[in-house]
Amino acid sequence: MEKTKVENYLDDLGVRYQPIDSRKEDLENFEAVLQAQKIDPKLVCKTLVLKGDKTGVIIAIVPLAAHLDYKKTRKVSKDHKVGFPGMDYVMAYTGYPHGANTPIGIHKEHPDYLFLADNTLKEQNELVMSSGEIGRSIKIARKDFETIVQPIYADLV
């Protein structure tokens, strides 16, 4: 299996991770995919690309099952308006299609963006997140993720 750009980047940094390939799985039943690979669903996070009226691009990392609270996000980002932009905007500003956004890959190319992570993620020692391709993820130590991305932790959900 060929490595993703994010996996190659982590290799270059000397950061340990576990690749997770679910491209051949039925993603309609993602819980079953996680169970088959013995991955606790609480470790899985999603990367949300937002647009703030003052901040511009905001990358929010939240637990997979959680819903982002716009009001809480606006408070942290100091924007009056925060919302999900269209897919063209997401691709243009991150380089990743919907479903493949990865905070590590986005931070590598755009360290100036605002990266937010929900406080609940601090409870986990490891996190599972996209590695930049649909159906490809990585499990990484939360401390390594923090060192690379340096997110601001806040109550986002």
Side-chain angles (χ1 to χ4, degrees):
M1 172 172 62
E2 190 173 321
K3 292 185 177 194
T4 66
K5 290 180 183 178
V6 167
E7 292 167 346
N8 285 322
Y9 176 56
L10 293 174
D11 288 344
D12 291 346
L13 294 175
V15 173
R16 293 175 47 158
Y17 62 91
Q18 175 188 337
I20 301 165
D21 187 352
S22 58
R23 289 176 293 182
K24 296 177 184 166
E25 306 292 339
D26 176 15
L27 296 181
E28 294 299 315
N29 189 2
F30 193 62
E31 290 286 328
V33 172
L34 295 175
Q35 188 174 21
Q37 298 195 26
K38 296 180 174 68
I39 297 171
D40 183 346
K42 289 187 244 172
L43 302 180
V44 182
C45 48
K46 58 188 171 186
T47 305
L48 304 174
V49 179
L50 304 159
K51 182 179 180 184
D53 64 331
K54 293 181 179 181
T55 307
V57 180
I58 302 167
I59 308 300
I61 302 99
V62 299
L64 181 64
H67 295 283
L68 183 80
D69 184 311
Y70 285 124
K71 186 175 181 180
K72 292 176 180 179
T73 305
R74 286 194 311 261
K75 184 177 178 182
V76 176
S77 69
K78 299 185 179 23
D79 285 294
H80 292 306
K81 293 181 183 179
V82 169
F84 290 107
M87 292 302 116
D88 290 344
Y89 180 93
V90 172
M91 187 69 181
Y93 283 87
T94 68
Y96 295 94
H98 176 70
N101 280 292
T102 166
I104 295 171
I106 296 170
H107 187 270
K108 180 180 184 288
E109 299 300 324
H110 305 283
D112 54 318
Y113 289 174
L114 177 60
F115 288 81
L116 304 175
D118 188 64
N119 281 331
T120 58
L121 297 176
K122 289 194 284 188
E123 299 167 9
Q124 308 302 330
N125 290 324
E126 296 177 307
L127 299 173
V128 174
M129 61 190 63
S130 173
S131 66
E133 293 179 13
I134 294 173
R136 302 280 300 272
S137 301
I138 54 166
K139 185 192 295 185
I140 185 172
R142 178 182 46 82
K143 293 288 187 187
D144 289 335
F145 164 73
E146 291 171 349
T147 299
I148 297 165
V149 177
Q150 302 171 355
I152 296 169
Y153 279 98
D155 183 15
L156 301 177
V157 298

